[in-house]
Structures are given as C-alpha cells and as structure tokens.
Amino acid sequence: MKKIINDPAIVVTESLRGLAAAHSDLLRVGYDPNHVVRADAPVNGKVAIISGGGSGHEPMHAGFVGPGMLDAAVPGAVFTSPTPDAVQAAVQATTGAAGALLIVKNYTGDVLNFETAAELAAAEELDVRSVVIDDDVAVADSTFTAGRRGVGGTVLLEKLTGAAAERGARLDEVEALARKVIGQVRSIGVALTAPTVPHVGEPSFDLGADEIEFGIGIHGEPGRERIKAEPADTLVERMISAVAEDLPFGDGDEVLLFTNSMGGTPLIELYLAHGIAERLLAERGIRVTRRLVGPYITSLEMQGISVTLLRMDDELTELWDAPVNTPALRWRM
C-alpha cells in the first residue's frame, strides 16, 4: 500500500488539521471528538444543517461546510460512522432556538448514532430532527444498510436544504423540503477498481482486469452484478436506464444531472461520461436544466463514476442557484 499518510490511526485527524489550515475563513475544526463547523457558527435565528459519516468520501461532508450549505459536518474514521458524542458536539456548536436538521445517509451505524445524538439534543430541549436519504437504486438491501444506501443525492440534499436554511426557512419548512428531495432523487455507481482503506492496507474487493462492479456503494460494497468491461456508451446507457426507470423519470421531466468521480477517475473520462448521459436523457425527452460534474462524493482512490438524477421544479432550481461558499462548492457569493 502506497499512500501519503503517516499513521493510519490518525489519518482523519491529520487531514482535518490541513483542512482547518487551508480554509480558516470558512470553518473551524474541533477535536476529540472530531467535528467541523462553519466559522461564524452558531448563526442566530437560523436552522442548522448538520451531516456526516465515515471519512474517505472527501470533499463530502466537511468540504461542504460554509454559508449556503452545511453548518457542521461530523467525520468518523475511514468508512466508519461518527460516534453520537461527535454528532452531539456539532449540534451544540451550531444549534439555537431555530433548531437543526440532521441529514443522515442510510447506513445502519449512521442512522443509529445520529438518532442517539438527536435524543441527547432533545434532552437539552433543542429541536433537532433527522431525515434519512436512500437514493441508491442498485440494491434494495445490503450488508451495510437496511434498505437502499445513501449516495450521490446526499450532496444535492445538503446544498438545497442549506440554501433554504440560509434564506430563513423554518425547521418545518426545511424538513419538508428535505423529504421532497429524497422522494425524487436517484443514483447509481460503478467501480473499475476497489478502494484501499488505510488501516486495512489492501483493496476492499478483487476485480479482474476486464471486470466492472455495477451498482457499488461508496464504501466499495457489492452492487447488482459484476460485468465485463464495455465501451463508455454502453456502460453509461446501462446506468441511465437503471436510474431513469426507477422513479421513473420520463418525457417532459426537468432534472439536475450530477456526474461524479469516485476518486480515481480523471476529468477527461468524467466529462466524456457526462456528455453521453446528457445525450441519452435528451433521447428520453428528459431535459437537463442544472448540472454538477466532479469528484464530490468519493470512495478514496476508487476508479469509477456515479450518476445522480434529481427531478427539478422552480423551487429547487431557485435553491440550487442560491449562493454557496464552501471549500468544495461555491458560486455567486
């Protein structure tokens, strides 16, 4: 294993120290337990948006802390859920009378630990609610989740709820918006190689030189099937069909198309895939009105991509276009 690290046991903490040094204007980092909060937190009168999960998916979640998106992110160890006390620290650092919304990916550890933190917050008379995102169409269940996994749609959910909270929406309104987004976003991912977790030191699974894992999760979990490598046109068509036919998306729909690198796929391939996806959606009568392309939810150095579709309307378009200023996502500030 060759990685730019020191001790695998402290890789997350050392990475957070670098994040704090690079972006002290946007965020601050608390340690023991690790949590990241926006520099001006708590923001008086504002609903706090808090998310988190295992590290190794950077820039999600800590890279999305800042005005217009997350008030706090809680990074666990690599591919490991954060502990309830870390979530509680983030809640205490950001949450006032307006309350907080916890955005939780549908993995058993995340759901349990965030639920525990919400119960601790309630004991302190804070209004803290949670929503669980489960946008992965690849599987109905897996050894890592009870039901569908939370994947690329999480980034879109964090942006949209963050925008609503920034403009002064009440907690009831932000929660309703989150549930609306969760109901109309779908994703699927593929892997060409497996990630190597630092403290494990070897790839999470084995893939032959001519094999692709279709429908993987962001921790390298197995997907629908293992297929032979195929041209980009064929692979992206397979992905678009899986996503579009699930909700389903159809003729006349307007969507946000998010084409994501899993960490090791270069932009030349990512843009190639995105162009194919746009063409295939147009052929189905689905109009792409907003786009996001890049490595925004990764799986360490995994080579692969994911595709996410979100059905849009005027409300979601306005929130997507709203200003955001975070280390990894920023526009119109």
Side-chain angles (χ1 to χ4, degrees):
M1 179 183 75
K2 291 190 290 186
K3 289 183 177 289
I4 303 173
I5 63 172
N6 294 310
D7 181 353
I10 58 172
V11 63
V12 173
T13 299
E14 290 195 313
S15 178
L16 290 174
R17 293 192 190 282
L19 178 73
H23 300 290
S24 60
D25 59 324
L26 294 174
L27 53 81
R28 63 181 190 268
V29 177
Y31 305 94
D32 195 26
N34 290 331
H35 59 289
V36 182
V37 300
R38 56 187 278 181
D40 57 351
V43 181
N44 187 40
K46 176 189 174 301
V47 173
I49 307 297
I50 302 168
S51 192
S55 296
H57 308 303
E58 289 74 18
M60 197 184 75
H61 299 273
F64 299 134
V65 172
M69 209 160 177
L70 295 179
D71 290 84
V74 193
V78 175
F79 292 0
T80 303
S81 300
T83 55
D85 64 317
V87 181
Q88 185 183 23
V91 170
Q92 291 172 336
T94 59
T95 305
L101 182 71
L102 307 182
I103 294 175
V104 188
K105 300 188 301 303
N106 193 34
Y107 297 90
T108 300
D110 286 357
V111 172
L112 291 175
N113 291 344
F114 275 81
E115 281 183 355
T116 299
E119 292 169 0
L120 293 171
E124 298 176 0
E125 299 186 346
L126 293 174
D127 191 355
V128 176
R129 307 178 196 177
S130 62
V131 294
V132 177
I133 182 164
D134 55 355
D135 55 308
D136 186 4
V137 307
V139 292
D141 207 344
S142 79
T143 56
F144 288 79
T145 60
R148 290 183 167 185
R149 303 172 292 218
V151 287
T154 312
V155 177
L156 312 186
L157 179 61
E158 291 175 357
K159 168 63 178 78
L160 294 163
T161 55
E166 199 72 37
R167 72 180 186 184
R170 299 187 309 273
L171 182 55
D172 286 343
E173 296 170 324
V174 177
E175 181 183 12
L177 170 71
R179 297 191 187 282
K180 170 182 172 178
V181 172
I182 291 167
Q184 54 198 55
V185 64
R186 299 290 187 271
S187 302
I188 198 162
V190 300
L192 282 64
T193 64
T196 298
V197 177
H199 65 268
V200 176
E202 59 185 32
S204 300
F205 54 87
D206 294 320
L207 272 179
D210 63 343
E211 291 181 322
I212 292 175
E213 188 75 19
F214 184 80
I216 48 88
I218 57 175
H219 309 95
E221 307 97 317
R224 285 186 175 181
E225 59 182 324
R226 187 162 291 187
I227 62 175
K228 292 295 184 182
E230 55 191 18
D233 280 332
T234 307
L235 180 61
V236 176
E237 183 174 18
R238 188 190 296 265
M239 298 176 74
I240 290 296
S241 293
V243 174
E245 293 168 11
D246 186 89
L247 191 60
F249 297 87
D251 188 19
D253 279 344
E254 296 185 348
V255 301
L256 187 158
L257 170 61
F258 172 28
T259 308
N260 175 68
S261 166
M262 300 305 298
T265 297
L267 283 172
I268 188 172
E269 297 176 27
L270 197 62
Y271 279 117
L272 185 152
H274 181 85
I276 295 169
E278 290 231 15
R279 171 175 56 79
L280 293 171
L281 290 170
E283 290 173 358
R284 290 173 175 263
I286 300 171
R287 181 172 169 239
V288 178
T289 60
R290 294 295 184 272
R291 301 152 178 87
L292 184 66
V293 182
Y296 291 105
I297 173 171
T298 63
S299 182
L300 295 169
E301 79 284 21
M302 178 193 286
Q303 292 182 30
I305 64 171
S306 64
V307 170
T308 298
L309 290 181
L310 169 64
R311 182 177 288 153
M312 298 293 278
D313 57 23
D314 290 343
E315 178 190 29
L316 297 186
T317 300
E318 181 181 344
L319 292 170
W320 182 256
D321 290 345
V324 60
N325 190 20
T326 72
L329 201 68
R330 60 178 66 187
W331 54 71
R332 297 183 183 175
M333 295 299 291

